[in-house]
Amino acid sequence: MKWTALSCVAFAIFLGIQAEPAVSSPKDSGGKALPPDSSATLYNSGGIVREGALLLLRNYVKHEDTVVKEQVKDVQSNLKEQLREGDKLLKDRIEEGLAHEKEGRQVGDDRLNEELDEDVAWLKAKMAKGRRQMEDELAEEEEQTNKEITELKEAFEKLLRDSAKQWAQPAMMEDLKQMVYDIQAELNSTQHQLQTAQRTHREELQSLRSDLHTAQQKLQMAQEELSFLKTSAVGSSFIRWGNAECPENTSLVYSGVAGGTRSGDSGGASNYLCLMKTPQLDNTTHTPYHNGLRGAQYQDVEGHDDQDVVCSVCRAPQATTLMIPGTLTCPSGWATRYRGHLMSEHYNSKGRTEYVCVDKDRQHRQGGQENEWAVEFCHVVAKTGGSLPWPVSVNDKVVTCVVCSV
């Protein structure tokens, strides 16, 4: 149907062109125009047909253009709908994966807790049983020894009573004295054996106590490791630029100073580093082909100009930590770690660095001084009016940022 309509329009234009005469209007001998003849009429009718055909062609083109635009809109709408469905499906898959991972990690933690509890209970029971057995044996030996000593004393006293009438006989006195010496020697030997046994049992008890203390220390280390595993299983780290301390509800990994490639160099690395304050380097040699690591300083930052930039590496208990530029508010459900201003290398520098969020309560290293070999931290300023779809009211304003966790 489209080809037929277009063919009709083309044919009408063709008729209009064929109807146009090849000569001018006739004139009389005096130069005056003669009345229009049949050829002029044919010319006029051809012009009308041609104009009508052109009008018809324009209307057809407009109609086709409208149809094409509507089809493009339909395709765009379908693509947007498919993208929304794909995003929703991807989010659902991610949430399912995270839930499955958390469930598996929780099952592993519970199993490890149960095994540790069983080991601890077994060890405590064994230690308690050994200690009770040693104490019972020691008590029995002490009771038996005391009983023997009592019996010997009673026999000695009985012997003295039975021999009281024979004190005058020298031979009997000598035998009695020898018997007394023998009994005393046996008592001394028995006491020595008792003391030795008590000392041995005390040493064994002390060894058991030492083993129990060692087991308790191992248990505590296992519990601390388990606690670390629980906390490390879910968590994320981030760098707090411009501040040597970590925000609340986070833990400090280490604090340091910022560094990187010198701003005047055209090569080297393109990211900032949070360096340890006390380095540990070896004696590896290098060639002339190397990159120099420099310290970083604020540039044209009020109150901190030409001062060394500090930083801290922090750990949040949440699994994800994100820096969001151009805002001071975290999304719903996210925890705010700190707010600040976006900074980077100067726009006219030979090298390039990353964008980082520097804390609004920024600090600097005490004792720092101006150094032309430093890495620069400069404010990032919004430039609207081009492809940045921000309102004109924020043009030339310092860009804010926020670090969030979830």
Side-chain angles (χ1 to χ4, degrees):
M1 180 61 72
K2 293 181 179 179
W3 174 249
T4 302
L6 188 60
S7 300
C8 293
V9 173
F11 181 70
I13 295 175
F14 173 77
L15 290 179
I17 295 174
Q18 293 296 328
E20 185 177 355
V23 296
S24 61
S25 301
K27 299 180 182 180
D28 57 9
S29 59
K32 296 180 179 181
L34 295 177
D37 56 6
S38 59
S39 62
T41 303
L42 181 61
Y43 169 77
N44 293 333
S45 63
I48 294 172
V49 172
R50 180 177 60 188
E51 292 177 358
L54 290 174
L55 180 60
L56 182 61
L57 179 60
R58 292 191 188 98
N59 293 333
Y60 174 77
V61 170
K62 290 180 179 180
H63 174 71
E64 290 300 317
D65 186 39
T66 303
V67 172
V68 170
K69 289 181 178 179
E70 292 178 353
Q71 292 177 350
V72 170
K73 289 181 179 179
D74 293 339
V75 171
Q76 290 177 344
S77 177
N78 291 333
L79 287 176
K80 290 180 179 179
E81 184 64 26
Q82 292 177 2
L83 287 175
R84 284 193 294 268
E85 293 178 356
D87 291 341
K88 185 177 183 301
L89 179 60
L90 180 60
K91 291 179 180 179
D92 293 341
R93 292 289 177 82
I94 292 175
E95 292 178 356
E96 291 177 0
L98 291 174
H100 180 71
E101 182 182 357
K102 290 181 179 179
E103 182 178 358
R105 189 182 299 114
Q106 183 63 38
V107 171
D109 292 343
D110 294 340
R111 187 181 299 110
L112 182 58
N113 279 330
E114 292 176 359
E115 293 177 355
L116 285 175
D117 292 339
E118 291 176 357
D119 292 340
V120 172
W122 178 82
L123 183 60
K124 287 183 177 179
K126 183 178 179 181
M127 293 296 180
K129 182 178 179 181
R131 183 171 59 188
R132 287 195 301 271
Q133 184 177 358
M134 294 295 295
E135 290 176 351
D136 293 341
E137 292 177 357
L138 182 61
E140 290 178 359
E141 291 182 1
E142 289 179 353
E143 183 179 358
Q144 182 65 26
T145 303
N146 293 329
K147 183 178 179 181
E148 292 176 355
I149 293 174
T150 302
E151 291 177 353
L152 288 173
K153 287 181 179 180
E154 291 178 352
F156 180 69
E157 291 175 356
K158 185 175 182 297
L159 180 61
L160 290 177
R161 285 194 303 270
D162 294 340
S163 303
K165 298 178 180 180
Q166 301 177 2
W167 283 99
Q169 302 178 7
M172 183 65 69
M173 289 297 297
E174 292 295 331
D175 293 338
L176 184 60
K177 289 180 181 180
Q178 185 63 39
M179 186 178 296
V180 171
Y181 292 150
D182 293 339
I183 292 172
Q184 289 178 347
E186 187 175 355
L187 286 174
N188 292 333
S189 177
T190 303
Q191 289 179 348
H192 178 71
Q193 292 177 0
L194 178 60
Q195 293 174 355
T196 302
Q198 290 177 342
R199 185 167 53 252
T200 302
H201 287 305
R202 289 192 186 97
E203 291 177 354
E204 292 177 355
L205 285 174
Q206 184 64 29
S207 177
L208 286 175
R209 292 191 183 96
S210 178
D211 293 341
L212 179 60
H213 180 68
T214 302
Q216 290 175 345
Q217 288 181 338
K218 291 182 179 180
L219 174 61
Q220 183 178 0
M221 292 176 61
Q223 291 175 342
E224 291 176 355
E225 184 176 359
L226 177 61
S227 177
F228 173 76
L229 289 175
K230 287 181 177 180
T231 57
S232 62
V234 177
S236 58
S237 60
F238 63 95
I239 300 177
R240 188 182 191 185
W241 298 102
N243 202 308
E245 299 176 353
C246 289
E248 293 183 357
N249 301 323
T250 63
S251 58
L252 176 68
V253 180
Y254 69 90
S255 60
V257 293
T261 301
R262 186 182 63 152
S263 60
D265 294 342
S266 57
S270 60
N271 62 304
Y272 295 117
L273 296 174
C274 187
L275 306 172
M276 300 285 289
K277 294 180 179 178
T278 303
Q280 295 180 355
L281 309 180
D282 55 22
N283 295 323
T284 303
T285 59
H286 64 83
T287 67
Y289 298 96
H290 63 270
N291 176 30
L293 181 62
R294 312 281 184 173
Q297 292 185 338
Y298 297 108
Q299 294 296 323
D300 294 332
V301 178
E302 184 178 358
H304 302 276
D305 192 27
D306 293 331
Q307 297 295 327
D308 297 347
V309 181
V310 297
C311 57
S312 58
V313 178
C314 309
R315 188 178 185 282
Q318 290 81 3
T320 303
T321 300
L322 176 67
M323 188 274 283
I324 305 178
T327 183
L328 292 172
T329 306
C330 290
S332 177
W334 290 64
T336 302
R337 293 306 168 202
Y338 72 94
R339 299 180 177 89
H341 298 94
L342 206 62
M343 290 192 182
S344 71
E345 186 68 78
H346 187 261
Y347 77 93
N348 199 26
S349 175
K350 292 182 180 179
R352 288 194 173 187
T353 58
E354 60 185 330
Y355 289 106
V356 296
C357 187
V358 180
D359 197 292
K360 64 180 181 64
D361 299 325
R362 62 185 61 91
Q363 303 170 352
H364 61 262
R365 184 178 68 89
Q366 299 297 327
Q369 58 184 356
E370 183 177 359
N371 186 353
E372 61 179 356
W373 301 102
V375 186
E376 294 181 348
F377 271 63
C378 302
H379 281 303
V380 175
V381 177
K383 296 295 181 182
T384 62
S387 57
L388 182 62
W390 286 2
V392 181
S393 59
V394 302
N395 187 54
D396 282 337
K397 288 190 175 181
V398 175
V399 180
T400 57
C401 56
V402 63
V403 175
C404 313
S405 296
V406 67

